[in-house]
Amino acid sequence: MEVEHESKREDDEHETLTLDPLSNQFANLNDLCFEFTSLQDLAFRGSWRSILDKIARARKLSLLQKPHEDLIYLAYSVLALTKLHRYTEAAEELDSMLDFDSPRYRYESYPEIYPNRCGSMVPFAIRWLNAEIPLKLGRRQESLDRLYVLLDFVRVRLRERESRGSELGFCVDVWRKREAFVVYSIASHHLSNKEFVVCLELIQGLVRQDSANAELLSRLGYVQVQVGDLEGAKSTFGEVERLMKEGNLGENEFRNLVGRNKALVYLIGKDYVSAVREYDECIERDPTDVVAINNKALCLMYLRDLSDSIKVLESALERVPTFALNEAIVVNLCSMYELAFVNHSEIKRTLSNWIARVAPDDFDSSSTRV
Amino acid sequence: MSAAATQGSHSLAFRVMRLCRPSFQIANPLRVDPLDLFVGEDIFDDSAAAAQIPRLLQQNHLTKPTESDLTYRHRFELRNPSDAMGLSGLLMLPQSFGAIYLGETFCSYISINNSSSFEVRDITIKAEIQTEKQRILLLDTSKSPVETIRAGGRYDFIVEHDVKELGAHTLVCTALYNDGEGEKKYLPQFFKFIVANPLSVRTKVRAVKENTFLEACLENHTKSNLYMDQVEFEPTQNWSVKVLKADEHHSETNFKNREIFKPPVLIRAGGGTHNYLYQLISSTPGSTQVKIDGSNVLGKLQITWRTNLGEPGRLQTQQILGSPITHKEIELQIVEVPSVIVLERPFLVRINLTNQTDQKMGPFQVCLQGDPSEERAVMINGLQAVVLPQLEASSSTEFILNLIAIRLGVQKIAGIKVLDARDNKIYDTLADLEIFVDSD
């Protein structure tokens, strides 16, 4: 018996070694962080309040053993608080940290926990949230300043790794994505403030670096349409279509992107019938395409068919609630209710009650204007 | 958005919603890439981590969730960095009436609801716009009334009207119908709005040498940025026009040199301005000014713009005037000047003298006159005065003047006047002309 037991243990050691030659840390997700899968599961369900409870409990009972876990839990805490519009508390959490570049947050400061590992253990999302929070507290310029500083930070890191050569391929990709992510965040703030020319320039800069990105080009087109530059938009959408044909981006997702762009061109030309036709094709390919569903409903309204436009949105909420439950769709539906019914408060209240049961914690319930 | 029904209990009520073009939803998504959240930012420096961790995550967030996915992960996980822009292409209905400006099109969805529990019959619906000056009928079903609207039912229509007047406007919706008890009822409802001026145009006309330039400054008084589609000057018959634009410093080549990205001309909301410059070329050859007494009509500006999602607007200015022309009796004009003028070497200039009156005039004397203390760069060579005989009414003659330049570089031919030979009355001064004096 003893002999058997021993050999089994040897086998286990063998398995662990082949999984990760460096250390024991990456066998599964929970090894990366205490009860990580549970955190992730709550986040997927949008149960941000439960996440805060879980974090509070872990901290109170000192369940987090390693410094990087503290940071990850802090990141989730700030994210949850921000999603729940509790901005002051989110800011306080961030303020409780030291300078992000402090040695306290570096792997090499804890060689007994992280042998052979060096670098910053701060999750990048913390830096980004730190830049976004001032805007939520009414200090827009400060957010923009922090985002531009963050962009510089990312670019320095990116160049460092690019110069180190090919063994850091995945790493370089990650920092490139972070660079794009920060630029897009900046662009979204300019868009919210209707600073369209700046936004167009930012996107142009991104297009120059990444000219085969159909999603990016489509967004350029949307800004051009929003602004009224219809000729520019048409040529941009034409380029997206060309990319799809040449690059064989045949998946339904790209077909739908091109289809929605086509529908948009019809819409701005007031050919709502053709727009509806394009949107129908998109919905047929992908019944979860809520942008197509929503925009189709609007076209029906412009075609004087308020009843059907309401039906399209209500049916989407019924059929694919986790996709269709989106603040903008709810606002549109309520605008339609207000037009269609003299006594619209009752129907809006029914909608509001359903939302309260089904929606994630971060859903903005003021969308129903009840 | 609707006014409450007027007195009496009505089965019907109008609900009205302005239907200008929709806008894109601009969200602030608060979505993150999981690789930015649950590991340290530098962990992928380690190639083992780079190999293992994404596999663990199975990069699920990079694939589109299917219908069977009943989570809200798409509100949390970022799939594509461009998702962070918050511009998914989702459109939103206009949330308020907003402002309405001259030159735009007013469009509205009108719904008549029967909120009673009885059917309503023979409904004659009218919709019209009333302003200070006029009433414009938009809809009238009196020739074929709507037969019935059931209890809880609706009748919908969309009206459009090009706004051509400023000030107070009222959309008047009326319904004449037989209610559930067979009583004839009349329901009027009024929706007021004010039309404001979107743009102000300031123009300046300048004559520089032989050219006339028109500078137009457009100021945006609206609450949105205006995309200037076209700002064209339509001249009167006597003129042709050329638009002058600044040189493009950089041509943004986009899409691999296939297209050139032209930054759009957008005039900022609430006071932004943009200037346009036109050169006006007279279509009657040989003269730079139209010889019409009094004012000089140049033409007008046609302006078309677009706001969100291409909502169009158009305006025309009133006639733009140049400076009034003073009628000259006797006129001196340069006809020909040599292309090369050398320092201290005499050169010939051909000049036209016109008698615009209806009487014989002259004889004349042409000489250089002016401030004696001023040292002229260009002098008359030889005889300091040229005598010209009388000229018949409405006729002209040409003569040659011999000049010499005594200074290098850009100089002016100035101070040449035509006088009456007898009483030295000055009729006209030749307009200053710039020349370039070369060295030998």
Side-chain angles (χ1 to χ4, degrees):
Chain A
M1 283 270 253
E2 268 182 41
V3 174
E4 272 182 44
H5 198 56
E6 257 180 45
S7 63
K8 190 175 186 294
R9 213 173 34 229
E10 264 175 40
D11 278 52
D12 282 341
E13 276 176 31
H14 251 291
E15 262 184 317
T16 322
L17 276 172
T18 48
L19 262 175
D20 186 343
L22 275 190
S23 73
N24 226 351
Q25 284 180 7
F26 307 136
N28 63 56
L29 283 170
N30 285 325
D31 287 341
L32 273 167
C33 176
F34 179 73
E35 289 189 359
F36 174 73
T37 44
S38 153
L39 262 183
Q40 200 184 36
D41 182 61
L42 288 170
F44 286 171
R45 289 197 267 126
S47 304
W48 299 101
R49 287 192 211 110
S50 306
I51 285 182
L52 287 175
D53 289 340
K54 181 183 168 70
I55 294 173
R57 182 175 167 272
R59 284 171 171 170
K60 189 163 160 205
L61 301 177
S62 301
L63 299 174
L64 304 176
Q65 311 257 298
K66 298 184 186 157
H68 75 275
E69 291 176 329
D70 282 322
L71 283 173
I72 292 168
Y73 270 57
L74 192 144
Y76 270 89
S77 176
V78 175
L79 183 60
L81 288 166
T82 309
K83 279 196 175 273
L84 294 170
H85 304 291
R86 286 157 63 174
Y87 304 126
T88 315
E89 288 168 75
E92 280 167 11
E93 277 265 13
L94 287 166
D95 285 342
S96 76
M97 280 180 76
L98 299 171
D99 184 313
F100 297 149
D101 300 318
S102 152
R104 179 100 81 84
Y105 304 133
R106 297 186 70 85
Y107 292 115
E108 57 266 30
S109 304
Y110 312 87
E112 69 285 1
I113 307 177
Y114 313 109
N116 306 318
R117 198 171 296 287
C118 65
S120 159
M121 60 173 88
V122 176
F124 183 73
I126 286 185
R127 292 187 191 266
W128 175 70
L129 284 165
N130 186 52
E132 293 276 339
I133 285 284
L135 172 75
K136 309 284 192 201
L137 292 167
R139 303 189 312 257
R140 182 175 180 268
Q141 196 53 53
E142 197 180 329
S143 266
L144 280 174
D145 288 344
R146 287 189 185 182
L147 283 168
Y148 277 105
V149 168
L150 183 61
L151 185 59
D152 273 340
F153 169 87
V154 170
R155 285 177 169 159
V156 165
R157 294 279 173 300
L158 180 59
R159 302 238 191 297
E160 275 174 17
R161 280 149 187 80
E162 274 174 338
S163 65
R164 274 191 243 165
S166 58
E167 82 266 14
L168 286 177
F170 183 79
C171 178
V172 165
D173 280 340
V174 166
W175 283 102
R176 272 216 193 97
K177 268 194 182 164
R178 287 171 180 166
E179 183 190 18
F181 173 60
V182 176
V183 176
Y184 286 119
S185 299
I186 295 173
S188 100
H189 294 311
H190 286 301
L191 262 182
S192 308
N193 227 38
K194 309 211 174 170
E195 291 157 350
F196 296 115
V197 177
V198 178
C199 193
L200 282 168
E201 282 174 3
L202 276 171
I203 303 179
Q204 274 305 303
L206 288 167
V207 169
R208 255 181 258 123
Q209 289 180 331
D210 184 8
S211 55
N213 186 336
E215 300 246 4
L216 168 57
L217 279 173
S218 297
R219 278 161 174 127
L220 170 61
Y222 303 154
V223 180
Q224 288 171 309
V225 167
Q226 178 66 53
V227 146
D229 180 6
L230 305 181
E231 291 313 310
K234 282 180 198 158
S235 102
T236 305
F237 292 140
E239 183 61 23
V240 175
E241 199 169 348
R242 195 190 59 80
L243 269 179
M244 194 195 78
K245 288 188 181 138
E246 276 185 23
N248 302 311
L249 301 170
E251 303 118 52
N252 277 349
E253 205 179 337
F254 286 109
R255 286 218 188 90
N256 272 24
L257 181 63
V258 169
R260 290 197 304 269
N261 293 347
K262 269 207 187 115
L264 190 61
V265 173
Y266 283 126
L267 205 155
I268 60 190
K270 295 176 109 169
D271 180 0
Y272 300 111
V273 173
S274 301
V276 169
R277 197 186 57 233
E278 286 291 340
Y279 285 130
D280 274 334
E281 278 181 33
C282 293
I283 297 166
E284 176 109 20
R285 268 184 235 120
D286 175 10
T288 67
D289 187 344
V290 290
V291 176
I293 293 171
N294 173 83
N295 291 0
K296 171 185 168 181
L298 258 70
C299 287
L300 289 173
M301 233 193 106
Y302 285 83
L303 286 170
R304 206 173 58 102
D305 194 354
L306 182 57
S307 308
D308 277 342
S309 64
I310 289 177
K311 286 204 192 99
V312 167
L313 291 185
E314 284 179 337
S315 127
L317 284 170
E318 212 179 322
R319 242 182 350 101
V320 286
T322 53
F323 294 92
L325 192 50
N326 168 312
E327 283 82 345
I329 289 183
V330 170
V331 169
N332 281 340
L333 181 56
C334 289
S335 299
M336 292 175 187
Y337 283 155
E338 284 164 13
L339 183 57
F341 305 108
V342 176
N343 303 314
H344 47 76
S345 17
E346 205 179 303
I347 196 169
K348 287 207 292 185
R349 216 169 292 125
T350 311
L351 177 64
S352 189
N353 292 338
W354 176 79
I355 289 174
R357 286 198 321 270
V358 168
D361 291 349
D362 59 318
F363 189 86
D364 183 0
S365 52
S366 69
S367 327
T368 53
R369 294 196 296 253
V370 144
Chain B
M1 182 201 88
S2 141
T6 49
Q7 79 273 61
S9 57
H10 275 281
S11 319
L12 295 182
F14 283 101
R15 308 285 302 168
V16 169
M17 178 169 147
R18 181 172 172 201
L19 214 64
C20 46
R21 292 190 189 203
S23 309
F24 284 112
Q25 176 208 23
I26 293 169
N28 195 213
L30 278 177
R31 292 164 71 183
V32 289
D33 187 325
L35 297 178
D36 288 343
L37 187 62
F38 79 103
V39 281
E41 60 196 350
D42 282 343
I43 204 164
F44 299 112
D45 284 354
D46 165 20
S47 48
Q52 308 277 13
I53 292 173
R55 216 168 33 84
L56 275 177
L57 202 57
Q58 287 164 342
Q59 298 271 278
N60 275 340
H61 67 290
L62 293 179
T63 52
K64 195 179 180 310
T66 61
E67 217 168 336
S68 52
D69 185 328
L70 296 174
T71 70
Y72 289 111
R73 65 193 292 170
H74 56 89
R75 286 174 71 97
F76 158 58
E77 282 182 335
L78 199 69
R79 286 188 57 230
N80 189 308
S82 63
D83 291 336
M85 225 170 103
L87 191 61
S88 59
L90 205 127
L91 291 168
M92 297 200 62
L93 286 170
Q95 288 305 296
S96 63
F97 188 88
I100 184 154
Y101 298 100
L102 192 65
E104 294 184 328
T105 304
F106 169 71
C107 177
S108 179
Y109 197 108
I110 304 178
S111 180
I112 303 182
N113 296 15
N114 178 3
S115 53
S116 75
S117 8
F118 304 99
E119 191 195 6
V120 152
R121 306 191 63 88
D122 291 326
I123 308 111
T124 300
I125 306 161
K126 260 203 209 175
E128 67 177 21
I129 297 258
Q130 283 179 13
T131 66
E132 237 175 282
K133 294 184 195 159
Q134 50 180 331
R135 304 159 81 109
I136 305 135
L137 191 63
L138 301 176
L139 179 98
D140 184 358
T141 68
S142 28
K143 296 232 173 88
S144 51
V146 178
E147 269 187 41
T148 169
I149 301 179
R150 61 173 174 81
R154 282 197 326 267
Y155 181 77
D156 295 346
F157 53 102
I158 293 182
V159 294
E160 267 190 25
H161 166 66
D162 289 335
V163 177
K164 292 196 177 111
E165 269 179 72
L166 285 171
H169 285 59
T170 310
L171 172 65
V172 182
C173 297
T174 59
L176 187 64
Y177 64 100
N178 292 327
D179 73 4
E181 283 146 26
E183 251 184 80
K184 206 157 190 70
K185 285 261 179 87
Y186 176 70
L187 169 74
Q189 265 181 271
F190 307 92
F191 308 94
K192 291 188 198 278
F193 58 94
I194 308 238
V195 173
N197 221 332
L199 290 168
S200 58
V201 182
R202 284 191 297 275
T203 55
K204 262 190 219 151
V205 180
R206 287 183 218 271
V208 175
K209 290 176 67 181
E210 288 162 10
N211 302 311
T212 304
F213 296 99
L214 170 68
E215 190 185 310
C217 173
L218 267 61
E219 187 176 334
N220 175 6
H221 298 300
T222 74
K223 296 196 185 111
S224 354
N225 298 313
L226 300 182
Y227 170 77
M228 301 316 286
D229 209 353
Q230 276 171 340
V231 177
E232 279 174 1
F233 184 75
E234 283 180 1
T236 55
Q237 281 173 328
N238 306 300
W239 301 96
S240 67
V241 70
K242 191 170 107 172
V243 184
L244 299 177
K245 287 198 180 132
D247 289 333
E248 301 287 332
H249 285 294
H250 53 98
S251 49
E252 289 278 0
T253 27
N254 216 3
F255 310 145
K256 297 166 204 158
N257 300 313
R258 242 176 271 243
E259 301 286 330
I260 296 188
F261 173 69
K262 283 186 289 230
V265 177
L266 264 186
I267 308 188
R268 199 178 41 83
T273 60
H274 194 91
N275 292 339
Y276 293 86
L277 188 61
Y278 304 92
Q279 182 178 357
L280 299 173
I281 302 143
S282 174
S283 20
T284 36
S287 63
T288 52
Q289 290 162 337
V290 178
K291 294 177 184 7
I292 304 170
D293 264 315
S295 59
N296 181 14
V297 177
L298 299 174
K300 49 190 165 176
L301 274 172
Q302 289 274 20
I303 305 169
T304 49
W305 70 88
R306 290 184 181 276
T307 53
N308 69 282
L309 255 80
E311 185 101 61
R314 71 175 336 112
L315 276 182
Q316 224 182 45
T317 62
Q318 291 175 326
Q319 296 286 15
I320 296 169
L321 308 171
S323 41
I325 313 293
T326 45
H327 199 88
K328 289 192 191 179
E329 295 181 324
I330 306 286
E331 194 174 1
L332 265 185
Q333 278 188 318
I334 290 203
V335 177
E336 199 184 327
V337 162
S339 46
V340 176
I341 296 169
V342 179
L343 180 70
E344 288 168 6
R345 223 182 271 171
F347 63 97
L348 301 176
V349 165
R350 196 141 49 95
I351 299 179
N352 177 296
L353 176 69
T354 311
N355 175 4
Q356 312 228 70
T357 69
D358 49 11
Q359 291 166 349
K360 198 181 204 175
M361 299 283 277
F364 306 95
Q365 195 186 70
V366 175
C367 59
L368 197 70
Q369 254 193 31
D371 191 350
S373 61
E374 206 185 295
E375 233 193 70
R376 292 218 176 272
V378 180
M379 324 266 288
I380 296 184
N381 188 31
L383 282 179
Q384 289 301 292
V386 172
V387 176
L388 298 166
Q390 284 186 317
L391 262 183
E392 296 293 331
S394 302
S395 67
S396 63
T397 182
E398 280 185 4
F399 63 96
I400 309 274
L401 208 56
N402 193 319
L403 300 175
I404 189 162
I406 57 169
R407 281 208 290 274
L408 281 173
V410 178
Q411 303 297 342
K412 279 199 188 134
I413 300 175
I416 297 180
K417 299 191 196 302
V418 59
L419 305 96
D420 187 295
R422 289 165 304 192
D423 61 17
N424 285 338
K425 171 181 161 189
I426 298 176
Y427 283 120
D428 192 21
T429 306
L430 189 65
D432 287 358
L433 182 74
E434 270 180 6
I435 53 166
F436 187 80
V437 183
D438 267 313
S439 57
D440 214 333

